Amino acid sequence: MGVAACGGGDEGGSDGNEVTIGFMGDLTGENSGLVIPPRNGAQLAIEQYNATNPKVKIKFKPYDSQGKPEQATTLVQGAIKQDKIVGLIGPAFSGESQATGPILEEAKVPSVSPSATQITLAEKGWKFWHRVVADDAVQSAGAGEFITNQLKAKKVATIHDNQEYGKGLADAIAGAVKPKGAQTMAEGVDDKATDYSATVNKIKSFDPDVVYFGGYYAVAGRLFKQLREAGVDARLMSGDGSLATGLIEGAGEKNAQGAMLSCGCLIDEAGTSNAKAKKFASDYQAKFGSPVAIYSGEGYDAATAFIEAIKAGNTEPEKINQFLSTVNFEGVGKPIKFDAKGELASQDIYVYEVKGNKLPLLGNTKEAKVE
C-alpha cells in the first residue's frame, strides 16, 4: 500500500514557517471507533494553535493504517521520506507501534502515542518514543485490584485475541489476580473468527465470577454476545481496546449491560476534572458535534506536547525530541510529563460500565463502587 492520507493538510514537511505533524491509526477499519476520537482531539489542538497566528504553523496529516502493522510500516516510511514529518501522534495501537518504532528511531523522528498500552513498548530502549497513557502493567494492576477487591471474584477467566496487545493485557490480568487468591483459566480466540463456541463452552464449564477479555471491541462484542446467549452470567470485563459504543452494538444492548471496561484514559464528557477539561469538552462538542470519547483528551494532550516544543522554537525532529524530555504541563485530564523511557508519570486507571447505550465513568479503580 502506498502513502495515503485521510483528511487534512497538503503535501510537504517543514519550510521554516510550517512543519508537518502526522497522526497514524485505524481511521476506517473495524476498530476505528477507538482512533477517530484521538485524531479529532489532536486536530482540535492544532487548529486552535494555528488560529493564534504563530510564527511556525503546523500542518496536520493523518495516515490511515487500519490498525495493521504492515500498512503502518509502509505509511510511516512515506511520512518520513516524502512528507518530512517532524513528529508523529501515534501509532494508536500497540502492534503497529511495535512495527514502526524501529523505523522512527532510525530516522530520529519523535512519536507520542495517545493509546498504545503494551508493556514492552517502553522496554526497547527507544529514545524517540513516548505515550500519554499508562501501560498495561499499570492497567492490569489497577483492574486486578478492582476485580478482587470490588467485584470479590474468586474465579477469573481471561480470554485474548492472540495479538500482542490483547494477549499481553489478559496475561497481566491473570498475573494480577492470582496472588490475591483467585483461580484462573486462560483462552485465546482468532480475531478473524466469528464463532467462539468452543471457547464459550470451556468458560461455561469453568463457571467464573469474572470474564476479562484482552483485545479490541469488534471481537469483544461478538464474544460477549455468545457468552450471554450461552447462559454465562459472569461479570464481563475488558480493557481500553473495548471502551467504545461499538462494543454495545456488537454484543447487543441487552447482552452488554453491566460490562465493565478499564482504561488509563479519563473520559470527562462534562469537563468536571478541571477548567481546562471543561473548555476542551465544550470546544470538542462544538467542533465535532459529539461529546469527548475514548482517547479524545489523550490525542489533544499528545498534540499539545508537540505544540509546546514548536512554540519554544524547536522545528527539527531531534530538537523537538529533546524538548519532549523536559515537557511538563497540565493536560485536559492528567499531568503530562515523560520519564526517561517515554512513559507518562501519571498512573491512574479508570473503570467504566455499560448502562443502556452509554459507557459512564464509575471512578478510578481504587474508588469505583459497584451496585
Side-chain angles (χ1 to χ4, degrees):
M1 180 176 175
V3 180
C6 182
D10 302 313
E11 298 302 317
S14 171
D15 62 6
N17 296 315
E18 184 176 68
V19 295
T20 300
I21 299 288
F23 177 97
M24 186 173 291
D26 180 359
L27 297 172
T28 58
E30 67 175 4
N31 291 302
S32 58
L34 297 170
V35 183
I36 291 172
R39 188 277 311 274
N40 289 350
Q43 179 184 329
L44 178 62
I46 290 171
E47 286 183 359
Q48 289 177 340
Y49 165 75
N50 284 338
T52 67
N53 197 28
K55 181 179 178 182
V56 179
K57 288 197 171 186
I58 298 173
K59 183 182 296 179
F60 182 59
K61 194 169 182 68
Y63 300 88
D64 182 13
S65 65
Q66 296 188 317
K68 298 175 181 177
E70 65 275 13
Q71 289 188 191
T73 53
T74 301
L75 288 169
V76 81
Q77 288 167 353
I80 294 165
K81 294 172 184 175
Q82 276 82 53
D83 299 336
K84 311 291 188 195
I85 61 169
V86 299
L88 180 70
I89 300 166
F93 293 165
S94 295
E96 56 186 339
S97 295
Q98 192 90 264
T100 59
I103 300 170
L104 291 160
E105 193 73 11
E106 184 178 356
K108 297 183 177 179
V109 173
S111 66
V112 181
S113 177
S115 50
T117 57
Q118 188 187 31
I119 299 164
T120 58
L121 291 173
E123 298 170 355
K124 307 291 184 182
W126 293 335
K127 302 300 183 185
F128 288 78
W129 175 89
H130 314 77
R131 58 180 159 203
V132 289
V133 65
D135 72 14
D136 289 332
V138 178
Q139 181 175 186
S140 60
E145 181 180 23
F146 178 79
I147 288 168
T148 52
N149 292 353
Q150 300 295 337
L151 299 182
K152 311 294 185 186
K154 301 298 183 187
K155 297 175 75 176
V156 178
T158 59
I159 308 173
H160 59 78
D161 60 0
N162 277 305
Q163 301 300 307
E164 291 186 52
Y165 156 71
K167 187 175 189 307
L169 178 57
D171 289 349
I173 290 291
V177 300
K178 278 181 185 176
K180 297 179 182 295
Q183 184 182 349
T184 64
M185 71 165 288
E187 287 290 320
V189 297
D190 181 352
D191 67 332
K192 304 295 189 297
T194 56
D195 181 3
Y196 304 130
S197 55
T199 297
V200 168
N201 289 336
K202 290 178 184 178
I203 299 299
K204 190 172 182 180
S205 296
F206 182 62
D207 191 25
D209 302 306
V210 171
V211 175
Y212 193 102
F213 172 70
Y216 298 106
Y217 67 80
V219 176
R222 297 194 291 269
L223 178 65
F224 286 6
K225 181 176 189 290
Q226 292 174 40
L227 285 167
R228 286 293 187 241
E229 289 177 347
V232 174
D233 60 2
R235 173 74 74 172
L236 303 179
M237 193 167 180
S238 189
D240 52 304
S242 298
L243 184 50
T245 54
L247 169 70
I248 303 170
E249 294 160 10
E253 190 171 316
K254 180 181 177 183
N255 297 321
Q257 292 310 295
M260 293 185 160
L261 297 310
S262 59
C263 187
C265 58
L266 174 62
I267 306 172
D268 189 1
E269 286 189 19
T272 57
S273 53
N274 58 50
K276 187 175 283 191
K278 188 171 184 64
K279 183 179 187 305
F280 170 65
S282 175
D283 291 348
Y284 189 97
Q285 177 73 46
K287 170 71 180 175
F288 300 106
S290 60
V292 297
I294 185 169
Y295 299 128
S296 297
E298 282 74 14
Y300 189 92
D301 287 342
T304 301
F306 280 118
I307 289 167
E308 291 298 314
I310 293 163
K311 282 166 67 176
N314 303 289
T315 58
E316 297 300 321
E318 288 188 73
K319 292 290 187 183
I320 291 171
N321 192 63
Q322 288 173 16
F323 185 89
L324 290 177
S325 68
T326 66
V327 77
N328 188 357
F329 64 91
E330 188 63 39
V332 295
K334 67 189 94 162
I336 303 300
K337 181 180 180 181
F338 302 114
D339 67 14
K341 290 184 175 181
E343 291 277 33
L344 194 65
S346 176
Q347 300 292 296
D348 272 337
I349 298 298
Y350 300 91
V351 179
Y352 301 81
E353 182 179 8
V354 176
K355 293 185 178 180
N357 62 353
K358 303 287 186 183
L359 295 156
L361 172 70
L362 287 186
N364 68 35
T365 52
K366 296 179 178 63
E367 300 168 353
K369 301 299 180 186
V370 183
E371 294 179 2

